[in-house]
Amino acid sequence: MAKLKLQSALKKLPRSPTGIKGLDEITHGGLPAGRPTLVCGGAGSGKTLFAVEFLVRGALQYNEPGVYLSFEENADDLATNVASLGFNLQDLSSRKKIILDQIQINQSEFEETGEYDLEGLFVRLGHEIDSIKAKRVVLDTLEALFSGFSDLSLLRNELQRLFRWLRDKGVTTVITAERGAETLTRHGLEEYISDCVILLDHRIKDQLSTRRIRIIKFRGAAHGGDEYPFLVEKDGISIIPLTTLGIEQKTTTQRISSGIPALDEMLEGKGYFRGSSILISGTAGTGKTSLAAHLAVAACQRGERCLFLAFEESQSQIIRNMRSIGINFEPWVKKGLLQFHAVRPTLYGLEMHLATIHRLISDFNPIVVVFDPVSNFTSMGDSPEVYSMLLRLIDFLKINGVTALLTNLVSGIGVSLESEVGISSIMDTLIVLRDFEDINDRTRLLYVLKSRGMAHSRQIREILITDSGVDLGSSPVENVSQDAASRSRIIKGDGR
């Protein structure tokens, strides 16, 4: 019964899809159709771009013509500024898909006498709406009117009349406004536009910039109320939802090979579950990247795409290093099955990394993704921030059925498994690599600490890195001295 009531309520709240990546998801369908929406934010936050994309996507994807009325920027400058994002406003204008207009308010060019109203604006805008049967309207930036007139109380009354008039016309309107010092807008426009208010923010933290969007108000409708990071990309805005509200990922019993037959044997002889998350944790030089490389090659051999995200080495360096153990990545790169993305974590903030990885996965559509090493993100923020970012990322991959392998570098001798990123508890499979040292030699060891849903081996096996790849010793390692184990210990309870 409750579900039927909710469906009935949603039917009474028609939405106008924006076409902006991610926005329709967090607004559950788009902006309120036939009603005004206020988009506010500081300088450089993306208000004009948001408004332009709303208009362009409407014309191209939903056959809804639109009118863009600017109070600051002229049509030629606007068209030039957004051309780099692939928006051809002049072409759309010539095809009567949109109308670009400007009203310049310059107090030095006129003298204000007696009472006035905005009837001329109504007539002008009404003619443009009717001439192309517009369904969408943008007013950018409406607050410019306040700098041109001194009787602000009269102007506010006229603006309220304008918003009622736009409602009566049945057009979905986006109105942009500058953010005030202590209010959403400088002149309190949010008091008049009560249907939907969106806040854009461009902040700097530790010399790294992040853009975020938040739905402040959406009257009578469910919507995401969190802050969401967004990118301004070559094809417009891309908003990244944080995560799902519940744990609803689909699972499968299908298995995929790790690329190392002996490791597959430790996992019931079948390998990893498809769509699962795997964490390989160990100190430097224990073979984490080599194990990840085997999974990448195995995916390519099956004809599946693999995205290799490297946060420590360049693509050419990884290709050269893996060639020394008999793994040749170049044929798979040339075939388009393997794609590298190598950046330093310090290039931008955590939210921007998350947004970039979302875009890479959406564009390349991989079946397997490698993160090497994910522990480098600990330099980018506090542990809770890193955990939140990685949780959302893993959630996104599981929802899309992508198998994810993450390597985790730990600091060395005597540290506990309580990982700096703290994600081992949400991983499906945790493989631990460690060094065993005696007086004359150093031995790499591997064991499976956990692997959900399967009866995995509990043996400790020696890692053999040869010129033909990684293999494991045929027999389990025995008689590891307690003293040596404690000196090289890298795990105790959680993935470090």
Side-chain angles (χ1 to χ4, degrees):
M1 179 64 74
K3 186 175 182 180
L4 290 175
K5 289 182 178 179
L6 176 60
Q7 291 176 343
S8 177
L10 290 176
K11 290 179 181 179
K12 298 177 182 178
L13 297 167
R15 311 294 179 95
S16 178
T18 64
I20 297 174
K21 296 177 184 177
L23 182 59
D24 294 337
E25 182 177 346
I26 63 177
T27 57
H28 299 265
L31 303 181
R35 300 182 183 186
T37 293
L38 176 65
V39 178
C40 51
S45 58
K47 300 184 298 298
T48 296
L49 176 58
F50 181 103
V52 170
E53 185 163 0
F54 164 74
L55 214 62
V56 171
R57 302 293 182 197
L60 294 178
Q61 298 179 15
Y62 305 106
N63 195 29
E64 293 187 355
V67 175
Y68 191 99
L69 181 57
S70 173
F71 294 92
E72 292 182 334
E73 197 170 15
N74 64 51
D76 291 337
D77 288 344
L78 178 66
T80 301
N81 292 339
V82 301
S84 61
L85 301 172
F87 300 153
N88 192 339
L89 298 186
Q90 294 174 338
D91 174 67
L92 291 172
S93 179
S94 66
R95 293 193 285 134
K96 305 298 182 185
K97 292 289 187 179
I98 64 172
I99 288 179
L100 303 175
D101 194 8
Q102 181 193 20
I103 297 178
Q104 192 167 13
I105 305 296
N106 190 338
Q107 196 169 21
S108 63
E109 296 181 359
F110 61 86
E111 182 177 354
E112 182 180 350
T113 61
E115 293 188 356
Y116 59 87
D117 57 31
L118 298 181
E119 190 63 33
L121 174 62
F122 292 9
V123 172
R124 183 169 179 168
L125 190 55
H127 171 72
E128 292 171 341
I129 292 172
D130 294 339
S131 65
I132 61 171
K133 296 181 173 56
K135 298 296 183 182
R136 302 185 179 206
V137 170
V138 168
L139 303 177
D140 180 37
T141 298
L142 191 61
E143 283 188 316
L145 288 173
F146 286 87
S147 64
F149 300 97
S150 60
D151 192 343
L152 299 186
S153 62
L154 177 60
L155 181 58
R156 287 191 173 94
N157 290 334
E158 285 298 290
L159 289 179
Q160 290 186 47
R161 191 162 71 95
L162 172 63
F163 300 148
R164 288 195 299 268
W165 179 81
L166 289 168
R167 277 172 169 264
D168 293 339
K169 295 291 286 186
V171 292
T172 305
T173 308
V174 167
I175 299 157
T176 68
E178 290 290 328
R179 187 174 185 178
E182 297 181 357
T183 56
L184 288 177
T185 63
R186 292 178 182 175
H187 299 284
L189 290 182
E190 64 271 18
E191 297 177 12
Y192 316 128
I193 307 174
S194 58
D195 294 302
C196 184
V197 178
I198 296 175
L199 176 64
L200 304 182
D201 182 38
H202 189 194
R203 66 187 63 169
I204 304 293
K205 181 181 180 182
D206 296 330
Q207 301 180 353
L208 297 171
S209 68
T210 304
R211 298 177 189 269
R212 303 189 186 215
I213 184 172
R214 180 185 172 199
I215 313 299
I216 300 292
K217 179 191 296 186
F218 201 134
R219 173 166 289 184
H223 63 277
D226 296 315
E227 282 190 326
Y228 303 91
F230 72 92
L231 288 177
V232 177
E233 302 181 291
K234 61 183 179 180
D235 57 350
I237 291 174
S238 179
I239 300 169
I240 309 302
L242 296 182
T243 185
T244 56
L245 295 177
I247 303 175
E248 302 173 352
Q249 301 95 340
K250 295 180 180 179
T251 58
T252 177
T253 57
Q254 186 178 356
R255 307 286 275 271
I256 61 171
S257 173
S258 66
I260 303 172
L263 180 54
D264 290 343
E265 284 300 320
M266 297 183 71
L267 302 169
E268 291 187 330
K270 302 175 184 179
Y272 307 121
F273 280 117
R274 183 178 292 280
S276 65
S277 55
I278 304 113
L279 180 66
I280 298 179
S281 186
T283 51
T286 48
K288 299 181 297 298
T289 301
S290 299
L291 265 65
H294 274 280
L295 178 66
V297 169
C300 294
Q301 289 173 341
R302 294 191 298 268
E304 299 172 355
R305 292 180 178 180
C306 176
L307 177 63
F308 200 112
L309 301 169
F311 304 110
E312 206 167 56
E313 299 176 289
S314 68
Q315 174 178 334
S316 60
Q317 187 176 1
I318 294 172
I319 291 175
R320 181 203 65 189
N321 294 346
M322 291 303 103
R323 194 180 292 119
S324 69
I325 63 170
I327 293 178
N328 187 1
F329 278 142
E330 288 182 327
W332 307 117
V333 173
K334 291 178 181 179
K335 289 182 179 180
L337 291 175
L338 178 62
Q339 178 176 307
F340 284 88
H341 178 73
V343 296
R344 291 290 185 191
T346 52
L347 180 62
Y348 29 63
L350 289 172
E351 301 291 2
M352 201 58 66
H353 274 293
L354 178 64
T356 301
I357 293 170
H358 268 247
R359 176 180 55 80
L360 289 168
I361 292 172
S362 297
D363 291 347
F364 187 57
N365 195 26
I367 302 299
V368 173
V369 176
V370 172
F371 301 83
D372 182 45
V374 73
S375 47
N376 277 24
F377 284 109
T378 56
S379 63
M380 300 304 301
D382 299 331
S383 294
E385 293 177 332
V386 177
Y387 176 83
S388 175
M389 176 263 197
L390 294 175
L391 174 62
R392 287 146 55 189
L393 183 58
I394 293 167
D395 189 49
F396 170 74
L397 293 170
K398 284 192 172 185
I399 289 172
N400 289 278
V402 177
T403 304
L405 187 148
L406 294 74
T407 68
N408 179 41
L409 175 67
V410 295
S411 54
I413 296 174
V415 299
S416 72
L417 185 69
E418 185 64 33
S419 129
E420 293 173 357
V421 293
I423 59 170
S424 58
S425 62
I426 61 173
M427 306 303 289
D428 298 306
T429 298
L430 175 54
I431 296 174
V432 177
L433 312 183
R434 61 182 254 190
D435 283 325
F436 173 79
E437 301 175 5
D438 59 23
I439 297 175
N440 300 315
D441 200 5
R442 170 175 170 264
T443 303
R444 301 181 182 94
L445 303 177
L446 174 152
Y447 63 90
V448 181
L449 183 63
K450 73 171 183 179
S451 193
R452 291 169 176 162
M454 67 178 75
H456 61 84
S457 170
R458 297 174 59 85
Q459 294 177 343
I460 299 175
R461 305 284 289 275
E462 182 180 358
I463 304 171
L464 306 173
I465 301 180
T466 71
D467 57 6
S468 58
V470 175
D471 199 1
L472 302 180
S474 57
S475 301
V477 176
E478 298 179 354
N479 300 322
V480 179
S481 71
Q482 184 67 32
D483 178 67
S486 64
R487 284 189 289 109
S488 62
R489 188 174 189 176
I490 61 171
I491 56 168
K492 184 179 180 180
D494 182 65
R496 245 181 111 174

